[in-house]
Amino acid sequence: MRPVDSDNQPYVARVEKMELDGRGSVRVRVRWYYRPEESKGGRRQFHGAKELFLSDHFDMQSANTIEGKCVVHSFKNYTKLDNVGPEDFFCRFEYKAATGAFTPDRVAVYCKCEMPYNPDDLMVQCDDCKDWFHPSCMSMTIEQAKKLDHFVCSDCVKENGAKRPSHAYAGSTKYEPKAESKRQRR
């Protein structure tokens, strides 16, 4: 939906109902999505660039403020997209605008840094324990991670005494690529 200030990004809302008012104008009842920076607490490191929160904030707006259509995917479906276009967003939380509370109030965390998954960040999966890690948390650059054929985290190396073959990090004997972009932006 069109913002009042044209320098701002468009607002995103779910149209719940359309109706004709007494003057013959079309009005829409919308449920607003908030961007992380519009919420209490603001944008955090794990929020994706295309992340939105479905709020409990409803409103009536003129249908003339609708700029276009976008798709707000579930988090799970968004992470499976091959290509993310400008019209694609995702939502994994509901947001109570008055209190700043989120549902769910907890999400799975990954890596040694114990951060929730950000679909914009590359992660590598350990061949042994199957946990996911940020390359930087494993003392790797993104370029190094993209070249990996195998990856075993430092905990599994210590625990299992794994050896380090060429084109691997820390020492794995499996042969599938472990670091790749899940999708490309259109």
Side-chain angles (χ1 to χ4, degrees), residues 8-143:
N8 292 339
Q9 298 180 71
Y11 295 115
V12 180
R14 183 167 73 191
V15 175
E16 300 281 323
K17 183 179 178 183
M18 297 179 77
E19 57 188 49
L20 208 54
D21 70 11
R23 296 176 291 195
S25 298
V26 178
R27 308 272 299 160
V28 290
R29 177 174 165 79
V30 297
R31 185 173 181 186
W32 294 106
Y33 283 95
Y34 282 49
R35 288 185 170 82
E37 53 274 12
E38 299 165 336
S39 69
K40 291 182 182 178
R43 181 169 289 280
R44 309 259 320 265
Q45 180 181 349
F46 63 87
H47 291 136
K50 306 290 292 267
E51 186 158 7
L52 302 171
F53 309 140
L54 182 61
S55 78
D56 59 351
H57 177 183
F58 291 84
D59 214 351
M60 288 296 288
Q61 295 286 315
S62 166
N64 293 333
T65 62
I66 297 174
E67 269 191 2
K69 181 180 176 180
C70 65
V71 180
V72 181
H73 302 272
S74 70
F75 182 69
K76 182 178 181 180
N77 289 344
Y78 182 84
T79 60
K80 292 179 182 178
L81 292 176
D82 289 328
N83 293 301
V84 175
E87 74 285 352
D88 292 308
F89 295 89
F90 72 91
C91 179
R92 62 177 149 185
F93 297 108
E94 287 196 20
Y95 177 68
K96 294 193 183 309
T99 64
F102 290 92
T103 305
D105 62 353
R106 293 185 184 148
V107 293
V109 295
Y110 300 91
C111 191
K112 290 183 178 258
C113 65
E114 296 186 344
M115 292 295 290
Y117 177 57
N118 178 342
D120 299 330
D121 292 342
L122 179 74
M123 295 189 85
V124 293
Q125 185 179 31
C126 175
D127 289 329
D128 287 357
C129 68
K130 305 301 183 204
D131 285 345
W132 289 90
F133 299 89
H134 299 106
S136 60
C137 295
M138 302 308 299
S139 302
M140 279 188 280
T141 65
I142 290 174
E143 293 73 28

Side-chain angles (χ1 to χ4, degrees), residues 124-170:
V124 293
Q125 185 179 31
C126 175
D127 289 329
D128 287 357
C129 68
K130 305 301 183 204
D131 285 345
W132 289 90
F133 299 89
H134 299 106
S136 60
C137 295
M138 302 308 299
S139 302
M140 279 188 280
T141 65
I142 290 174
E143 293 73 28
Q144 288 171 322
K146 287 180 178 179
K147 292 177 183 175
L148 289 178
D149 293 328
H150 327 290
F151 171 72
V152 177
C153 71
S154 55
D155 289 343
C156 288
V157 168
K158 287 177 196 168
E159 191 175 303
N160 302 329
K163 304 257 192 252
R164 183 179 174 176
S166 60
H167 301 292
Y169 182 81

